[in-house]
Amino acid sequence: GPMPRRMTGTRVTWTIVGLLLAALGGLVYQQKDAWRAPFTGRVVTVADGDTLGVLRGAREVRVRLYGVDCPERSQPHGVAAKQFTSAHCFNRDVEVKVLDKDRYGRIVGEVILPDGSSLNRLLVEAGLAWWYRQYSKDRSFGELEAQARKARRGLWADRNPEPPWEYRERERERGGRAP
């Protein structure tokens, strides 16, 4: 009789509705997670040694270099770190491998230069950044740091270099603006 046919029609309708909802959900999820995708863009600002502004499409996004912490600009070698970063990537197209977002909403990632090298690693190698152990378990940064230390490159030429995270903490305790 006609009864089963109507059931089939209803079932087809609900199946279509279900598929549409699933597709829509997937789309929303993709958009929410779209920031995680690697991207290539032009470096338009260099705030300091470890923070860049990179164009992602038409928008400038803040990128914090993963695994490294450069001296603050007011610390010894802070200006050198910023100059090093500028010299390597300012106004160039870089690839950003997105790893995370920090509490300031900045993308945390590895920046790959046009020649295929990692800006993050070059900074540590040059003795212009510390391995940021608190936020990175990547021991290869530690090895690069140890080599720079042994060779007394950059900040490792100083007798007692102060890690930037300790410097920032001290500035905060002094009631100064956290740089």
Side-chain angles (χ1 to χ4, degrees):
M3 201 50 188
R5 204 176 302 130
R6 209 167 40 235
M7 281 282 291
T8 312
T10 307
R11 198 172 291 135
V12 168
T13 305
W14 279 114
T15 304
I16 290 170
V17 168
L19 288 171
L20 284 172
L21 283 173
L24 195 66
L27 205 68
V28 169
Y29 175 77
Q30 265 179 333
Q31 280 177 332
K32 192 172 63 109
D33 265 32
W35 65 269
R36 289 185 179 278
F39 65 96
T40 299
R42 170 93 15 133
V43 176
V44 288
T45 55
V46 174
D48 51 40
D50 54 34
T51 312
L52 317 171
V54 184
L55 288 181
R56 183 172 203 166
R59 271 186 64 227
E60 179 184 345
V61 293
R62 287 293 234 182
V63 176
R64 174 70 171 79
L65 297 182
Y66 167 80
V68 304
D69 199 4
C70 286
E72 295 295 333
R73 273 175 305 197
S74 45
Q75 280 188 283
H77 308 281
V79 172
K82 182 183 173 175
Q83 287 170 342
F84 182 93
T85 292
S86 288
H88 280 82
C89 69
F90 182 68
N91 211 14
R92 297 210 177 105
D93 290 323
V94 299
E95 186 194 345
V96 179
K97 292 181 176 172
V98 179
L99 292 155
D100 205 354
K101 257 187 187 171
D102 71 7
R103 57 193 172 136
Y104 305 109
R106 298 177 299 191
I107 282 170
V108 178
E110 185 169 18
V111 169
I112 306 301
L113 300 172
D115 69 359
S117 62
S118 159
L119 176 61
N120 309 46
R121 292 170 192 284
L122 289 177
L123 278 160
V124 178
E125 217 173 5
L128 292 172
W130 304 69
W131 171 32
Y132 209 173
R133 293 163 180 73
Q134 189 186 343
Y135 293 105
S136 162
K137 300 290 162 258
D138 188 338
R139 296 203 159 281
S140 62
F141 282 112
E143 287 158 30
L144 291 171
E145 184 186 275
Q147 289 162 18
R149 201 184 278 243
K150 215 171 114 184
R152 295 191 176 288
R153 282 196 292 269
L155 63 93
W156 302 113
D158 298 355
R159 188 191 297 275
N160 222 344
E162 182 178 25
W165 55 88
E166 287 177 13
Y167 174 81
R168 289 190 295 265
E169 188 57 39
R170 212 161 41 77
E171 286 294 297
R172 274 194 292 272
E173 283 166 7
R174 268 202 359 218
R177 190 177 60 76

